[in-house]
Every structure is written in structure tokens, then in C-alpha cells.
């Protein structure tokens, strides 16, 4: 009987994979419950201290779940949150989940396997799984929904049962194997490598909901859209979606190198925030809104109908200020701090609105994957690490040393594997697909 992971790597058929013995242990990047609190009082909460790579037990599958041999995973900002145990340690989510019977109790362990994005091959299916089978090549949506929760039918994001897989659940993607609900799986884009396809879903689908889907800011043709951190995880997809939808992106970045990269994506209006001379206060400087607004008007000729926000405390005041009268500030996060203050006069007197957005529902994930599979949305993968270096990979994101997305090879041994449709890849163009690698 051959090794299951080797069989996956060699492209074995579904039947051959089912013939391989399931390992009882596998390697994964994880945090430890007994280390919650190690960063107390420290200013630099270096995630390399809290992320460990080692063997964990193979979990039992529920009837509606699949076991996926992960070829590649990606780092998201939620991996950073989990690894610094903030704002709430993931173990608190796992304990709560653990009180929900056998299904949840499996997740409440002294370790947490990280990772909310991944690509790989289905190797086992639970008895109730109908759509997927061993051998299927998949990408994973981190929207973890309970089909028995009626509130999840219209818009899963509004369901109490919604969880971010790999962040609020265990058995995430940063390991040789992961456990997913069958409803999380989508077909892997055939023209992309394992690492390219692993890195998109969470950020791209979040940006899709914020800008394109019916639940966010609902961008229309000709809208000027201010995109903070335009070469970051969310921003790098947001600028593509604004352009695809006939909008006018105004990209904010922090260096000339990043400015060049967004220009290479076809974005005409780029603001290097370090040129605004705001000193140590950065975008929280009292004059930041006015200076930024003047720059946006100079470049785009008008104020933005939409501001794409996720930075929170440092930028939110400026975001509310610069939005056009009647415009929308759509927000899905607060990287620089959860408590925001802004001058409310600019909101109510100019009839602007703030739109909260969180993750995405199944439909939004599937629509996003369709755009990627049709070559209408390009990956923004910039760096690839090995599983042993998952801590380093997360550190790069924590310290804003990265651009676009950072991937980790889990089962895949080399980059550039897993491309099943080279002809379509050639048609889209290697240069567009790998722009962020260069
Ligand atoms: N609710 C959800 O569903 C959801 C989903 C995805 C992400 N999020 C949240 O969204 C945030 C961003 O995620 P991400 O993956 O895009 O992160 P990321 O890849 O680290 O990108 C963040 C970008 O923010 C910019 N930035 C950093 N500090 C800044 C500052 N002080 N002022 C202005 N810009 C700054 C950086 O660009 P420059 O330095 O070039 O300006 C960077 O590229 C995180 O807080 C994450 O938790 C939420």
C-alpha cells in the first residue's frame, strides 16, 4: 500500500487514492492553547514564536465532510490574529464550538491548525457527500456554514452559525491534510498552479462582496473607488474588480515600487501615501483627509463614490471625509485598531453611508472562483514558502513586508505544479498571471 501523499503528488486516480491507507498523523502549522498569553505586555508580538510546525492527529470525518490533501495554502491576516491570540484567542472560539455536540467537540483541542485558504485533492469523503469524490482537484472557500441553519439560506453571512474556517474552526489549510464541509469546495482553476489557486478565495471573494455583489457597495460603471493598500491581499483584487466593472480605481500605496506594480495592473490614478508628508501620525493626522481628498480630485477629477476600507483607526476618519456626498464607505476590518473616531458631520450632512461587510456567502465565493477560472481575475501571489517556514510566511504578512498574497507549499514539493490547462494559461498570458511574482 503506497503513501497517500505520494499517491496524490503522482496524480493517482480516485480509486488508487482510496486504496492507500489513511495516515493517523500528519504535519501541520499550529498554535498551542498553553501559549495563549505569551505576548502579554510585548510590543512586537512575533508570530514566529507562536506558530509551530509538527505532527498532529488525523481527525475523524463527519458525514458531510471531506478530507483534502492540501497541496498549497495561503496566509491571511486572520492567521496573524490567531497567532497573536487577538482580539480573542481562537481557542475561545474552539471551546464554544466544542459545546455543540460531537461535531464541534472534535475542534476543541489543545492545538489549532491554522489556515483559511487552500488548494488540493479530495482523498476521502463522508458518507453523506454527493458532489465530490476522491481525486477531485479543489480550492476551499473558508465560509463555514451549517445547512441546518435556516438563516444561512438567503445570505450565509447573516447566519449565527457562520464561522471563518481555519480561524474559528480547527483543521485549517496549513497542513498536509485538512477537513472541510463538502459545501466549502469549488473546482480548482485548471490554468493555475497549486500555490496560485490556493491564494485567492478569502481576499478575492471578500472584495467581491464589498464591491460587486448585491450585499456591499454595489459599484456601478464610472464610479470612482478609493482602494486603500492597493497591493495588499484585499486591495490587489479590489483594483481588478473596479476595472472589470467599469469603475475608476484610485489606488493608495506606501512606496514607489508598489505604485509601479498597480500601474502595471492598468491603474491610472495612484497615490503614494508616504508622499503626503503626514509625519508619524500618518493617515490619522488631522489634515490627512483634506490632503488625500485634494489628491484624489486632482487625479480623478471628483470625490470617490466608494471608499474600500479595512484599516480602521488610522484611516477611517479620512475615508469618511473623502467620500463623495451620498457615497459609501464599505468596511470589512480594522487592521490598525477597532475603535475608530471620525467627524460625524461629514457623514450625516453629506448623506454618506457606512456599509459593514464580512466574508462572503457561497454564491459570492462561487462567482469569484468563476471569474478566476475564466481568467478575468488574476492571482496576486508574490512569495511562496515551505510548510516548515509557515511562521516566516505569516511574519511577512504581520509586518507588511509582503505584497499581494503569500502562499505556503504543503503537500506540493515544488512551485508551478498542478497546471492542467497550459493552453488557456498561455492565452491569458504568463505575464498577467505572475505579475506579483516579479
Ligand atoms: N471581514 C472579512 O471578511 C475580512 C476578509 C479579509 C480581510 N479582512 C481584514 O482586512 C484587513 C486587510 O487584510 P489583507 O489581507 O488585505 O491585509 P494585507 O495583505 O496585509 O494588506 C493590507 C494593506 O494595508 C496597507 N496598510 C497597512 N498599514 C497601513 C496604514 N497604517 N495606513 C494605510 N494603509 C496601510 C498596506 O498597504 P501600503 O503599505 O502599500 O499602503 C497593505 O498592503 C485585515 O485586518 C483583515 O483581518 C477582513
Amino acid at each position: 500500500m503506497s503513501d497517500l501523499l505520494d499517491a496524490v503528488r503522482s496524480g493517482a486516480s480516485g480509486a488508487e487514492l482510496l486504496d492507500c491507507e489513511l495516515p493517523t498523523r500528519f504535519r501541520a502549522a499550529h498554535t498551542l492553547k498553553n501559549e495563549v498569553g505569551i505576548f502579554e505586555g510585548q510590543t512586537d508580538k512575533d508570530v514566529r514564536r507562536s506558530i509551530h510546525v509538527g505532527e498532529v492527529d488525523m481527525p475523524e470525518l463527519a458525514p458531510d465532510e471531506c478530507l483534502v490533501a492540501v497541496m498549497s495554502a495561503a496566509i491571511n491576516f486572520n492567521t496573524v490574529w490567531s497567532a497573536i491570540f487577538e482580539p480573542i484567542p481562537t481557542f475561545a472560539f474552539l471551546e464554544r464550538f466544542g459545546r455543540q455536540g460531537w461535531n464541534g467537540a472534535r475542534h476543541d483541542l489543545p492545538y489549532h491548525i491554522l489556515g483559511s485558504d487552500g488548494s488540493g485533492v479530495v482523498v476521502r469523503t463522508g458518507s453523506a457527500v454527493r458532489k465530490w469524490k476522491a481525486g477531485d482537484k479543489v480550492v476551499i472557500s473558508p465560509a463555514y456554514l451549517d445547512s441546518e441553519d435556516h438563516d444561512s439560506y438567503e445570505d450565509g453571512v447573516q447566519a449565527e452559525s457562520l464561522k471563518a474556517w481555519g480561524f474559528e474552526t480547527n483543521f485549517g489549510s496549513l497542513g498536509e491534510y485538512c477537513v472541510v464541509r463538502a459545501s466549502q469546495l469549488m473546482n480548482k482553476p485548471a490554468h493555475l498552479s497549486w500555490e496560485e489557486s490556493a491564494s485567492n478565495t478569502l481576499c478575492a471573494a471578500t472584495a467581491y462582496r464589498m464591491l460587486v455583489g448585491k450585499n456591499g457597495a454595489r459599484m456601478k460603471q464610472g464610479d470612482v473607488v478609493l482602494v486603500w493598500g492597493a497591493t495588499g491581499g484585499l486591495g490587489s483584487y479590489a483594483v481588478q474588480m473596479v476595472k472589470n466593472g467599469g469603475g475608476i480605481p484610485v489606488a493608495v500605496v506606501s512606496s514607489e515600487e508598489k505604485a509601479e506594480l498597480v500601474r502595471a495592473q492598468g491603474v491610472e490614478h495612484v497615490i503614494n501615501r508616504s508622499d503626503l508628508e503626514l509625519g508619524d501620525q500618518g493617515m490619522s493626522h488631522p489634515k490627512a483627509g483634506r490632503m488625500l481628498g485634494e489628491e484624489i480630485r486632482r487625479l480623478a477629477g471628483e470625490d470617490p463614490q466608494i471608499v474600500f476600507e479595512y484599516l480602521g483607526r488610522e484611516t477611517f476618519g479620512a475615508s469618511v471625509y473623502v467620500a463623495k456626498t451620498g457615497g459609501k464607505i464599505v468596511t470589512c476590518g480594522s487592521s490598525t485598531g477597532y475603535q475608530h473616531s471620525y467627524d460625524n458631520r461629514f457623514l450625516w450632512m453629506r448623506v454618506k453611508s457606512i456599509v459593514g461587510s464580512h466574508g462572503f456567502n457561497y454564491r459570492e465565493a462561487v462567482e469569484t472562483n468563476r471569474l478566476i477560472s475564466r481568467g478575468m481575475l488574476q492571482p496576486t501571489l508574490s512569495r511562496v514558502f515551505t510548510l516548515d517556514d509557515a511562521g516566516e510566511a505569516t511574519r511577512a504578512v504581520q509586518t507588511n513586508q509582503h505584497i499581494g498574497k503569500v502562499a505556503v507549499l504543503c503537500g506540493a514539493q515544488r512551485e508551478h505544479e498542478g497546471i492542467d490547462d497550459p493552453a488557456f494559461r498561455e492565452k491569458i498570458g504568463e505575464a498577467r498571471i505572475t505579475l506579483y511574482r516579479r
Side-chain angles (χ1 to χ4, degrees), residues 81 229 232-234 254 258 273 310-311 314 332 335 358-359 400 402:
W81 294 127
L234 289 168
S254 61
K258 289 179 176 180
R273 65 182 166 96
Y310 52 81
L311 285 151
E314 276 193 35
C332 76
S335 311
H358 182 51
N400 197 17
H402 71 303

Side-chain angles (χ1 to χ4, degrees), residues 283-433:
M283 294 312 305
S284 49
H285 191 288
K287 289 191 177 147
R290 217 176 63 215
M291 288 166 86
L292 180 68
E294 280 168 10
E295 196 55 12
I296 298 168
R297 281 186 189 177
R298 187 182 71 77
L299 292 168
E302 55 183 311
D303 297 330
Q305 276 87 2
I306 298 171
V307 179
F308 186 85
E309 232 313 321
Y310 52 81
L311 285 151
R313 193 171 54 78
E314 276 193 35
T315 56
F316 206 80
S319 291
V320 170
Y321 181 85
V322 300
K324 190 182 171 87
T325 298
K328 291 176 183 150
I329 301 96
V330 58
T331 174
C332 76
S334 289
S335 311
T336 63
Y338 291 102
Q339 303 289 341
H340 312 172
S341 68
Y342 62 87
D343 188 332
N344 203 29
R345 290 169 301 168
F346 296 113
L347 191 85
W348 98 69
M349 290 173 75
R350 307 267 157 121
V351 290
K352 304 175 188 184
S353 38
I354 295 168
V355 181
S357 190
H358 182 51
F360 39 86
N361 58 34
Y362 288 139
R363 173 56 41 202
E364 289 155 347
V366 168
E367 291 291 343
T368 306
N369 193 48
R370 177 174 164 269
L371 294 177
I372 295 164
S373 301
R374 293 189 66 106
M376 295 171 75
L377 202 58
Q378 308 309 329
T380 59
L381 178 66
S382 63
R383 283 181 80 183
V384 181
F385 291 78
T386 61
L387 183 57
D388 280 331
D389 284 334
E392 290 291 343
T394 313
R395 178 68 175 168
V397 174
Q398 180 184 28
T399 53
N400 197 17
Q401 299 302 307
H402 71 303
I403 50 169
K405 296 298 303 177
V406 170
V408 170
L409 295 182
C410 299
Q413 289 170 311
R414 277 169 295 278
E415 295 176 37
H416 219 62
E417 290 183 340
I419 299 168
D420 290 325
D421 192 346
F424 186 52
R425 187 178 177 94
E426 204 178 318
K427 195 170 159 202
I428 297 166
E430 196 68 28
R432 288 176 69 208
I433 295 170

